[in-house]
Amino acid sequence: MPSDCPSNTYTTQNGYQFTTYCGIDLLAAEVGSEVETSMTDCMEHCSWFQPACYGITYYTQNRTCSYKAAGVNSTMLSTSKDDNTNVNSAIANLTQMVSLDITCPYQNNSIIDTSDGMPFQILCDTDMTGYGDYFPWGFSYTPHTDTMIECMELCSHAHPLCLGISWNPSLVDGYGNCYLKSSQNGVPEPVIGGSTHSGLVKLPVIDACSSISKQQQISSNDKVFNVTCFEGRVGSSNITSVYSANITGCVDQCATYTGPDSCLAVFYDNSFADGFDNCYLLNATGSETAPLNATYAELVSGHNATSTPAPSSSEPSSSEPSSSAPSLSTSSSSTPSSSPPPSPTSSGSDNHSSSSKAWVAGPVLSVIAAGAILALGFFWLRKRAGQKQDTIKLAHVESIPPLVKASEVIEMPPHYVLEMEGSNPISRRELEN
């Protein structure tokens, strides 16, 4: 008996309950089969397999999962020793597969909001098979809900953005009956018999963050936040996410957050790209990344502030503002000194001796040079008096080539840096694609 066979019972992530029979085959009709890595994976997939799955047999030797059709029961368990080799089985709790009320719970084409304000247009007796079923972050299965509003609530909190749902109260397509949609490009299909009802998300319009050249600030709950537009973040850490109609409301959520972690910043997704809960509270600020249609606000003043408030445009930026100008350095390199320069660090007595000799030799040589110049001058005047004065010719001096302009000097091959324009933000979805 393989060790991965759960003892007695097993409940899937979406709540489907099984009674397990380790080392026993289930001789029931099959609706499909697939290779699964374990018996638990086999039961997990049975919970949202289409058509509806009511039990499984898992063959451990080749890892084949056999999905069983309606009508399965414990009388179909094999009693043959030959059948019960390298095999495990499970039967679902059949009471969970009883149809729910199939009546559309809302008026057709009405707009129904979830608890956090996500609006849905109700489409009764309609399926959305071409709208792209998907598993949001944290899901590896199709969820089950007992009501349509519960399915809509799951959509409102899904990441990335959920754009619609199809809800199957009859369970004819399986226990997992809440189908979340990632697209609105399909065509609604009428369904006879009320087995499926759908809802299309009608996203509210949120103004894009206005492009600003300097930081703005928002104050909330005695805290100050610096706000910048079109700024993505990397390396940050989400505490939670909630819906907010604007950046001010998002900052209010952070400023009043009382959870175990401290809220140090918010990332506000103006595009809803990652979900309807577009206000992300952060307990780590990370660093700036590629521009997005988003707004970033960081706590700079108040409890747990990460930095100081943004300086005004007339003052230079500083991490520690001071009311007085910084003092100038008093080292000899920047301020003249009346004292003589320090002597070299070699032998002290030799340095003093050579210094005094050089000081004496200077005046003596100057006197000798002056006398020589006077003598030559007297001789030249006497010779000039007796001769015709020659024309004085200046020695030819080679012309100095003009200096090369800095722009004409290329020390290294040119390197071109491509930067994204802040005024043309790229949506996060485009970056991912």
Side-chain angles (χ1 to χ4, degrees), residues 288-310:
E288 183 179 355
T289 185
L292 303 170
N293 185 12
T295 310
Y296 176 69
E298 184 172 317
L299 178 65
V300 294
S301 178
H303 185 58
N304 293 322
T306 57
S307 60
T308 57

Side-chain angles (χ1 to χ4, degrees), residues 196-256:
T196 302
H197 311 294
S198 299
L200 279 177
V201 172
K202 298 297 182 181
L203 287 175
V205 177
I206 290 183
D207 294 335
C209 185
S210 58
S211 182
I212 52 178
S213 59
K214 63 179 181 180
Q215 288 183 329
Q216 293 180 339
Q217 291 188 331
I218 295 177
S219 297
S220 178
N221 197 33
D222 296 326
K223 299 177 182 179
V224 178
F225 292 76
N226 279 351
V227 181
T228 52
C229 287
F230 304 121
E231 181 172 325
R233 305 300 292 178
V234 63
S236 57
S237 178
N238 295 346
I239 300 174
T240 188
S241 60
V242 296
Y243 167 72
S244 180
N246 49 55
I247 181 61
T248 303
C250 186
V251 167
D252 289 341
Q253 292 282 345
C254 180
T256 57

Side-chain angles (χ1 to χ4, degrees), residues 38-247:
S38 67
M39 180 181 178
T40 55
D41 287 342
C42 181
M43 290 184 285
E44 288 287 346
H45 197 177
C46 175
S47 73
W48 52 275
F49 189 81
Q50 294 181 346
C53 171
Y54 294 82
I56 62 99
T57 294
Y58 185 69
Y59 300 97
T60 59
Q61 214 166 24
N62 57 10
R63 297 185 176 182
T64 299
C65 178
S66 172
Y67 304 105
K68 304 303 182 180
V72 64
N73 58 68
S74 60
T75 64
M76 298 177 179
L77 293 168
S78 175
T79 58
S80 170
K81 185 176 181 180
D82 294 337
D83 291 337
N84 299 333
T85 303
N86 299 319
V87 65
N88 301 303
S89 299
I91 299 176
N93 181 354
L94 301 184
T95 62
Q96 291 182 285
M97 292 299 291
V98 175
S99 175
L100 303 169
D101 184 356
I102 65 173
T103 305
C104 187
Y106 307 105
Q107 184 177 352
N108 191 42
N109 284 322
S110 61
I111 302 297
I112 302 298
D113 290 347
T114 60
S115 59
D116 59 355
M118 189 178 205
F120 284 81
Q121 179 186 1
I122 303 301
L123 302 175
C124 295
D125 302 317
T126 303
D127 199 0
M128 295 163 56
T129 55
Y131 283 68
D133 293 347
Y134 83 116
F135 292 156
W137 301 341
F139 284 74
S140 58
Y141 56 90
T142 301
H144 170 89
T145 64
D146 290 334
T147 64
M148 187 175 182
I149 189 63
E150 289 176 321
C151 186
M152 293 156 59
E153 291 284 351
L154 287 177
C155 178
S156 71
H157 297 294
H159 300 277
L161 181 64
C162 174
L163 290 171
I165 62 101
S166 287
W167 181 63
N168 174 229
S170 68
L171 305 182
V172 294
D173 291 326
Y175 183 74
N177 65 338
C178 173
Y179 302 93
L180 306 182
K181 308 294 182 176
S182 60
S183 169
Q184 291 191 351
N185 295 327
V187 178
E189 298 180 1
V191 176
I192 299 174
S195 62
T196 302
H197 311 294
S198 299
L200 279 177
V201 172
K202 298 297 182 181
L203 287 175
V205 177
I206 290 183
D207 294 335
C209 185
S210 58
S211 182
I212 52 178
S213 59
K214 63 179 181 180
Q215 288 183 329
Q216 293 180 339
Q217 291 188 331
I218 295 177
S219 297
S220 178
N221 197 33
D222 296 326
K223 299 177 182 179
V224 178
F225 292 76
N226 279 351
V227 181
T228 52
C229 287
F230 304 121
E231 181 172 325
R233 305 300 292 178
V234 63
S236 57
S237 178
N238 295 346
I239 300 174
T240 188
S241 60
V242 296
Y243 167 72
S244 180
N246 49 55
I247 181 61

